[in-house]
């Protein structure tokens, strides 16, 4: 069911579109046939009615339905309205009688409901337009923010129109499941329905790639390689899978991200890209890498403290988006005021999941883990409880995976250890700690710190 829209003009606006006849017909049909309320309740809310008294009558009817087992008829409705202070005995009886006489049958209730909904959305559009005009005339917002708010207002109204009810499993299997399986097995359409590959074949076998509408959390301690792994995935999706990737970086600049990708692509140490001390051969490889990346559909945004609504506004301007990457969650801000950071992060992750679902794209968000991994004894392997700031990160995510490199801890704490007993500095793991689509598992990787990239371990065996 659509959420209440906040752009509705006051019901005193004489220019607001409405249909008193349709509203009366809906309420009248419910009065003469209370079973209609089960259908109506899945389609409209009280704010969809234009007249205040109609909203109160419908609110009372909904309340009686939700109380469970309470009979709904003319007398019980009248008594409830009197108790709620909506009508007195005479006024209530007269108006309810009028409503019952408006429609001879409840057979056309669906048509009346559609008319009420259409007028509501028309009023919502009018309210959004009035708000936009006011903001423009009073110069309350800068143009960029004004455009974002305007787009969000229209988008919210459009989303509110998408209402679905219960659907029988047979219809779902026939029209959706079988249809998807047919297309996913057809070489010509398969790529549109399979998850986007990460570039790590063993990982793709566990999570079946990055799937549409999924929120994927990539967690690790600082310096473990979150950004590098996210860039590796973005690069593979754009260059190899020919997908359009939008990368929101709240920590690093566009130039820094581009340098990392060039270092990876050209196999040139990142330090050399910062100093410019390159050999002739390295300049040649760099030029080729730049050409390869420039032809890929990768877009960077380095806005600090960005909110999810601002992200959505920017993504909706793109002609096509296949994958969204956010680096990282801890630097994002909530669009709403909250009491503390835990509530703020909860709001952010809910909105990220909502964005993934609304735009029908996978959203990969990096997250920083708490120091709890470092405080443990011998094993520093991360767990779901190590996600910082909010348990809602784990709750809202479809997939949670962690980067783990044993050498990351040993190199800091065991400096005097015999080198032969030190862990392999190139060994890394991706721990899939939550997988809504399958089992959890651990995937071994090869970490190449010189070029800040991860690769399948099987390639080096």
């Amino acid at each position: 069911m659509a959420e209440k829209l906040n752009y509705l003009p006051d019901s005193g606006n004489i220019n607001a579109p409405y249909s008193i006849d349709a509203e009366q017909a809906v309420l009248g049909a419910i009065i003469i046939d209370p079973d209609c309320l089960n259908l109506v309740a899945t389609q409209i809310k009280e704010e969809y009615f234009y007249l205040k008294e109609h909203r109160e009558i419908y609110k009372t009817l909904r309340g009686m339905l939700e109380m469970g087992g309470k009979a709904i008829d003319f007398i019980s409705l009248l008594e409830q309205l009197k108790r709620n202070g909506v009508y007195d005995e005479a006024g209530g009886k007269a108006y309810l009688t009028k409503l019952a006489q408006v429609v001879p049958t409840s057979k056309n209730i669906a048509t009346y409901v559609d008319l009420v909904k259409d007028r509501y959305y028309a009023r919502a559009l009018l309210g959004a337009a009035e708000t936009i005009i006011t903001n423009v005339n009073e110069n309350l917002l800068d143009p960029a923010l004004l455009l974002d708010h305007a787009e969000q207002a229209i988008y919210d109204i459009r989303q509110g129109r998408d209402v679905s009810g219960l659907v029988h499993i047979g219809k779902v299997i026939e029209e959706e499941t079988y249809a998807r399986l047919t297309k996913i097995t057809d070489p010509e359409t398969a790529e549109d329905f399979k998850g986007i590959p990460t570039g790590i074949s063993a990982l793709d076998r566990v999570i079946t790639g990055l799937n549409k509408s999924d929120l994927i959390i990539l967690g690790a301690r600082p310096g473990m390689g979150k950004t590098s792994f996210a860039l590796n995935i973005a690069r593979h999706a754009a260059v190899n899978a020919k997908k359009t990737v939008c990368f929101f970086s709240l920590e690093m600049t566009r130039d820094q991200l581009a340098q990392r990708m060039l270092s990876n692509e050209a196999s040139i140490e990142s330090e050399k890209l910062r100093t410019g001390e390159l050999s002739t051969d390295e300049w040649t490889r760099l030029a080729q890498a730049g050409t390869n990346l420039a032809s890929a559909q990768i877009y960077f945004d380095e806005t600090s403290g960005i909110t999810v609504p601002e992200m959505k506004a920017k993504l909706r301007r793109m002609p096509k988006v296949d994958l969204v990457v956010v680096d990282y969650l801890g630097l994002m801000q909530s669009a709403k005021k909250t009491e503390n950071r835990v509530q703020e992060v909860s709001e952010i992750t809910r909105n990220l999941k909502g964005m993934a679902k609304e735009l029908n794209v996978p959203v990969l968000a990096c997250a920083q883990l708490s120091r709890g991994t470092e405080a443990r004894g011998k094993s520093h392997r991360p767990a779901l409880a190590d996600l910082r700031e909010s348990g809602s990160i784990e709750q809202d995510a479809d997939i949670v995976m962690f980067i783990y490199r044993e050498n990351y801890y040993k190199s800091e704490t065991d400096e005097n250890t015999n080198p032969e007993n030190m862990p392999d500095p190139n060994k890394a793991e991706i721990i899939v700690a939550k997988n809504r689509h399958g089992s959890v598992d651990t995937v071994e990787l090869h970490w190449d710190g010189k070029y800040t990239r991860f690769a399948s371990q099987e390639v080096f065996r």
Side-chain angles (χ1 to χ4, degrees):
M1 186 62 204
E3 294 183 1
K4 182 175 179 180
L5 301 172
N6 297 318
Y7 313 106
L8 199 63
D10 187 86
S11 60
N13 186 339
I14 61 173
N15 295 317
Y18 61 94
S19 173
I20 297 300
D21 292 340
E23 293 186 7
Q24 290 179 333
V26 169
L27 297 174
I30 296 172
I31 291 172
I32 65 174
D33 183 5
D35 289 340
C36 288
L37 185 54
N38 291 313
L39 167 66
V40 177
T42 65
Q43 297 293 315
I44 56 179
K45 291 185 176 181
E46 63 188 78
E47 58 266 20
Y48 285 33
F49 291 89
Y50 178 73
L51 289 187
K52 181 179 179 181
E53 52 263 50
H54 289 171
R55 293 198 293 270
E56 291 294 337
I57 293 172
Y58 184 67
K59 179 181 178 181
T60 301
L61 284 166
R62 284 286 298 265
M64 294 172 70
L65 176 67
E66 291 164 5
M67 286 173 67
K70 189 175 180 65
I72 298 176
D73 55 30
F74 187 98
I75 300 301
S76 62
L77 175 59
L78 176 60
E79 289 302 314
Q80 192 64 44
L81 289 170
K82 287 162 56 179
R83 278 196 291 270
N84 294 346
V86 178
Y87 285 116
D88 57 19
E89 174 74 22
K93 184 178 293 185
Y95 196 65
L96 293 185
T97 300
K98 179 180 178 180
L99 291 177
Q101 294 173 343
V102 166
V103 286
T105 175
S106 62
K107 185 173 61 175
N108 298 321
I109 183 69
T111 301
Y112 308 144
V113 167
D114 286 342
L115 286 171
V116 172
K117 288 166 61 178
D118 288 345
R119 298 300 190 277
Y120 170 73
Y121 289 119
R123 294 197 302 275
L125 283 169
L126 179 61
E130 290 175 348
T131 300
I132 293 168
I133 292 171
T134 299
N135 289 339
V136 171
N137 289 337
E138 297 182 4
N139 197 28
L140 298 177
L141 302 170
D142 65 77
L145 195 56
L146 180 63
L147 183 60
D148 287 347
H149 282 207
E151 288 180 346
Q152 186 66 44
I154 302 301
Y155 185 75
D156 286 345
I157 295 170
R158 182 180 295 278
Q159 286 298 108
R161 293 184 61 85
D162 297 331
V163 179
S164 60
L166 292 168
V167 181
H168 188 269
I169 186 173
K171 186 175 182 180
V172 175
I173 291 173
E174 181 180 352
E175 297 183 1
E176 298 181 28
T177 307
Y178 282 166
R180 183 183 63 81
L181 286 172
T182 299
K183 292 177 180 178
I184 205 170
T185 54
D186 185 342
E188 294 185 1
T189 58
E191 292 304 316
D192 293 331
F193 291 86
K194 290 182 179 178
I196 297 174
T198 63
I200 308 294
S201 56
L203 178 60
D204 288 333
R205 285 194 289 271
V206 176
I207 65 173
T208 66
L210 308 177
N211 293 278
K212 293 179 179 179
S213 80
D214 275 1
L215 172 60
I216 304 108
I217 299 296
L218 176 64
R221 287 294 295 151
M224 188 73 77
K226 293 188 301 295
T227 302
S228 296
F229 192 68
L231 284 171
N232 289 175
I233 291 176
R235 182 261 171 207
H236 186 82
V239 175
N240 295 80
K242 307 301 180 185
K243 302 296 184 180
T244 300
V245 181
C246 294
F247 196 113
F248 291 89
S249 175
L250 290 84
E251 186 174 34
M252 299 176 65
T253 66
R254 296 186 297 254
D255 179 46
Q256 290 172 328
L257 294 173
Q259 283 186 43
R260 282 208 180 187
M261 295 195 83
L262 282 170
S263 170
N264 184 338
E265 192 76 11
S267 295
I268 298 174
E269 295 180 31
S270 55
E271 290 81 1
K272 289 188 175 184
L273 292 181
R274 289 195 292 271
T275 62
E277 297 175 356
L278 304 175
S279 67
T280 301
D281 178 63
E282 288 171 334
W283 275 112
T284 302
R285 297 206 310 271
L286 184 66
Q288 183 59 52
T291 300
N292 291 342
L293 292 174
S295 62
Q297 296 301 306
I298 303 175
Y299 298 86
F300 292 130
D301 183 286
E302 59 180 20
T303 305
S304 300
I306 195 169
T307 65
V308 176
E310 290 169 347
M311 279 186 185
K312 285 197 292 185
K314 294 181 179 184
L315 292 169
R316 285 196 298 268
R317 295 175 200 159
M318 296 288 295
K320 180 186 178 185
V321 177
D322 295 308
L323 171 64
V324 177
V325 181
V326 181
D327 184 28
Y328 68 96
L329 187 62
L331 296 178
M332 291 187 67
Q333 293 182 1
S334 172
K336 295 181 180 179
K337 289 185 177 180
T338 54
E339 295 182 4
N340 53 56
R341 182 58 182 171
V342 172
Q343 291 183 2
E344 186 175 16
V345 172
S346 298
E347 178 71 18
I348 292 169
T349 56
R350 277 196 303 269
N351 286 336
L352 282 175
K353 174 57 185 176
M355 182 176 77
K357 190 174 180 181
E358 290 169 13
L359 301 181
N360 197 29
V361 298
V363 175
L364 173 65
C366 299
Q368 189 165 300
L369 301 183
S370 67
R371 291 182 177 273
T373 58
E374 299 174 359
R376 298 193 188 110
K378 293 183 179 181
S379 177
H380 300 285
R381 290 177 179 277
L384 290 171
D386 296 318
L387 288 167
R388 289 184 61 180
E389 300 171 312
S390 176
S392 67
I393 300 177
E394 171 191 350
Q395 175 184 322
D396 295 326
D398 297 282
I399 294 172
V400 178
M401 49 191 186
F402 302 120
I403 301 174
Y404 175 69
R405 291 191 288 118
E406 187 180 3
N407 190 65
Y408 172 91
Y409 296 100
K410 296 294 183 182
S411 61
E412 292 180 356
T413 59
D414 298 348
E415 293 179 357
N416 298 322
T417 300
N418 187 332
E420 295 182 1
N421 297 326
M422 290 289 286
D424 183 355
N426 298 121
K427 183 180 178 181
E429 296 176 6
I430 289 292
I431 301 171
V432 180
K434 177 184 178 182
N435 183 7
R436 192 163 282 166
H437 309 302
S439 61
V440 297
D441 205 345
T442 298
V443 177
E444 292 187 355
L445 300 177
H446 178 86
W447 163 245
D448 192 343
K450 189 184 297 185
Y451 307 126
T452 63
R453 64 188 174 200
F454 291 87
S456 293
Q457 186 72 270
E458 57 198 39
V459 175
F460 297 88
R461 286 175 177 162

